[in-house]
Amino acid sequence: MTLSLYDTMARAKRPFVPVNPERVTMYVCGPTVYNFAHIGNARPVVAFDVLFRLLRHIYGAEHVVYAANVTDVDDKINRKAADEGVPISVITDRYLAAYNADMSVLGALRPTFQPRATETMDAIIAMIGRLVRSNAAYTAEGHVLFNTQAYSDYGKLSGRSLDDMIAGARVDVAPYKQHPADFVLWKPSKPGEPVWESPFGPGRPGWHIECSAMIEQTLGLPIDIHGGGNDLIFPHHENEMAQGMCADHASGYANYWVHNGFLNMGDQKMSKSLGNVELVHVLIGQAPGEALRWALLASHYRQPLAWTDDVVAQARAALDNLYGALRRSADVQAEGDAPSEGFLEAICDDLNTPRANAELFALAKRLEIGTPAERARAKGGLLAGGALLGFLQADPEAWFHGGVDTLLAERIDALIAERVDARAAKDWTRADAIRAELTALNVEVMDSASGATWRLREPA
Ligand SMILES: [Zn+2]
């Protein structure tokens, strides 16, 4: 089975061939941690989680390296920290814990690396230094700017020419820019903002440079897959590639650029002013994580997704259908642990989740009406296909009896076990981080002589 992916750069679906099948690399742009994640933020996380799981299935779990950054230096974070009168780390630790907790309830596996901008500062500064030395960047009025004319392929990913960019540039281009498309790598911090020492003066990095530095540090160029929402193609990914290529003189930046479509609230954009922002944190109190995950994957990842209550209700009904077949076939012994051929064909065709889901329904039907041998094979295929997509992870009985989401319960149990280990190893930083994640999940842990138990608090 050949995996093919739609590559934004080639503007075509291409067979996926990794540089090194022993170390398949994927990078996906992650969150800015200043608030709870909304369901639109979750779409790329879940879509690329499916790709991560599929790559692990094809190449083996230990041969896939996945990095997703955490932007913890940002104006919105600074504002929130100033509002609360706390250091930025209080804000970023809180919302990173909440983010990880929410995404794990949606069934997303944790990336292999989750680098934070504040912890990548040395690599960021070193990379900017190399860009300056090779004349791909210049300093002006306390800023370091990337010189877009230094990279001849600038605009290739998004299909824009530098001339278009001049025409499209706002009138108030900063006077220190040599070209309107040039962008900030380093800038002075305003009074009261976090500041880092650097050879270019005290200040802080621009946003784009962190991803290039993290890719260099965690994965190395060229990477196999770079993912993110299609709203990031320009300028973020265009800028990332220009910096990375000029700093590393690599043969390529990313061999496949994979972008997911936008999520709207019904037919409207999600926005604070419209009051239609749906936080994952709130949604997971209203529907099982698996149902939300299904709702995110019921449409193809490249299509726009209109999020409505109906989409969630349909997702629940779809899972009720599959779990129902499993519950009624509890006596059938599953045969095999590989997904069916039809399922794999669908998911390998640019992650065609609607077709893969249809294949799960076909298996569920066969599980109920087939011959005993067909039923056994159908059950094996259904469970394996479901597992590959992160579905059917609950006990069928438990699914219908509501209560705590099985995924959530498993995650909490795992966190508590990890916390016990961290405390035993006197790793207080880790123990505190786990505690923050449990708090974000509304979990109250009760320690006793016989071990820790837990319960969910009512959401505030
Ligand atoms: Zn990025």
Side-chain angles (χ1 to χ4, degrees):
M1 202 73 56
T2 314
L3 168 63
S4 66
L5 293 171
Y6 184 89
D7 175 14
T8 306
M9 181 68 94
R11 286 152 181 82
K13 229 190 277 184
R14 295 169 51 215
F16 177 70
V17 183
V19 176
N20 175 6
E22 302 279 307
R23 189 171 182 274
V24 180
T25 53
M26 175 163 85
Y27 184 88
V28 178
C29 297
T32 303
V33 279
Y34 71 101
N35 205 339
F36 288 113
H38 59 64
I39 192 68
N41 301 134
R43 191 177 191 197
V45 179
V46 169
F48 288 100
D49 178 67
V50 168
L51 181 51
F52 184 39
R53 287 167 180 262
L54 179 59
L55 293 169
R56 287 158 59 101
H57 175 80
I58 298 173
Y59 298 96
E62 66 283 17
H63 297 304
V64 184
V65 191
Y66 168 26
N69 66 310
V70 175
T71 300
D72 60 357
V73 179
D74 181 85
D75 284 335
K76 292 189 274 292
I77 296 169
N78 293 340
R79 268 198 296 277
K80 187 123 182 169
D83 284 352
E84 293 190 20
V86 294
I88 59 166
S89 61
V90 172
I91 303 295
T92 56
D93 287 350
R94 182 199 304 156
Y95 291 109
L96 176 57
Y99 174 86
N100 280 334
D102 289 348
M103 296 310 140
S104 65
V105 177
L106 297 182
L109 304 174
R110 195 66 70 80
T112 325
F113 297 108
Q114 201 176 38
R116 297 171 68 147
T118 50
E119 291 164 359
T120 315
M121 218 43 89
D122 291 348
I124 290 172
I125 291 168
M127 186 174 246
I128 297 174
R130 269 181 285 142
L131 288 168
V132 171
R133 281 193 296 280
S134 60
N135 293 323
Y138 57 94
T139 52
E141 296 182 27
H143 292 67
V144 184
L145 290 129
F146 183 81
N147 169 15
T148 46
Q149 281 151 303
Y151 181 56
S152 59
D153 278 342
Y154 191 77
K156 198 173 163 192
L157 178 66
S158 55
R160 296 168 192 233
S161 72
L162 274 177
D163 289 344
D164 291 346
M165 290 174 210
I166 295 173
R170 289 169 304 149
V171 191
D172 56 340
V173 174
Y176 47 77
K177 284 192 181 180
Q178 290 176 5
H179 187 285
D182 292 353
F183 56 89
V184 167
L185 300 172
W186 190 262
K187 60 183 171 185
S189 300
K190 295 192 189 85
E193 285 181 352
V195 60
W196 286 266
E197 288 306 322
S198 86
F200 341 103
R204 63 193 183 98
W207 168 40
H208 312 300
I209 191 73
E210 74 177 58
C211 288
S212 300
M214 288 166 177
I215 285 178
E216 184 186 85
Q217 202 169 48
T218 57
L219 304 175
L221 291 185
I223 57 171
D224 291 310
I225 297 167
H226 195 312
N230 59 11
D231 53 327
L232 297 181
I233 297 173
F234 186 86
H236 184 55
H237 289 165
E238 197 75 74
N239 292 353
E240 254 193 50
M241 179 165 58
Q243 298 158 167
M245 292 297 282
C246 290
D248 285 18
H249 309 288
S251 60
Y253 191 71
N255 289 332
Y256 298 79
W257 284 94
V258 182
H259 292 103
N260 65 277
F262 210 69
L263 181 146
N264 286 310
M265 299 311 289
D267 51 10
Q268 289 181 319
K269 234 188 122 170
M270 194 183 330
S271 83
K272 262 195 195 138
S273 57
L274 291 170
N276 62 358
V277 177
E278 292 256 28
L279 299 179
V280 175
H281 210 64
V282 173
L283 286 168
I284 58 179
Q286 300 167 349
E290 249 188 77
L292 299 169
R293 183 178 174 92
W294 184 286
L296 287 168
L297 294 173
S299 315
H300 188 259
Y301 77 94
R302 283 198 291 122
Q303 297 302 316
L305 169 58
W307 188 264
T308 60
D309 289 344
D310 276 357
V311 170
V312 181
Q314 282 160 13
R316 260 190 127 131
L319 284 164
D320 282 351
N321 187 321
L322 298 178
Y323 275 118
L326 286 170
R327 183 166 63 160
R328 287 186 294 273
S329 313
D331 57 325
V332 176
Q333 189 70 40
E335 188 196 311
D337 54 5
S340 72
E341 209 156 299
F343 174 92
L344 280 176
E345 221 163 81
I347 201 68
C348 285
D349 180 12
D350 193 28
L351 311 182
N352 194 328
T353 50
R355 229 171 76 207
N357 290 349
E359 200 64 35
L360 296 181
F361 285 118
L363 288 165
K365 196 166 174 195
R366 219 171 305 149
L367 169 58
E368 297 215 78
I369 61 169
T371 63
E374 283 171 342
R375 295 185 72 193
R377 269 201 306 278
K379 189 169 186 177
L382 177 60
L383 290 172
L388 207 159
L389 290 181
F391 297 136
L392 306 179
Q393 301 294 296
D395 172 70
E397 282 301 328
W399 174 263
F400 288 103
H401 290 112
V404 176
D405 203 324
T406 312
L407 269 181
L408 177 60
E410 279 173 10
R411 179 73 194 136
I412 294 169
D413 287 339
L415 281 170
I416 289 175
E418 220 185 307
R419 180 166 157 266
V420 170
D421 291 347
R423 293 172 107 189
K426 300 204 189 321
D427 183 352
W428 306 119
T429 317
R430 183 73 202 125
D432 284 349
I434 296 167
R435 187 181 186 81
E437 193 165 322
L438 288 165
T439 306
L441 284 167
N442 273 323
V443 175
E444 187 181 349
V445 182
M446 289 148 302
D447 292 304
S448 72
S450 58
T453 56
W454 59 268
R455 67 171 181 212
L456 285 185
R457 271 189 299 259
E458 289 297 311

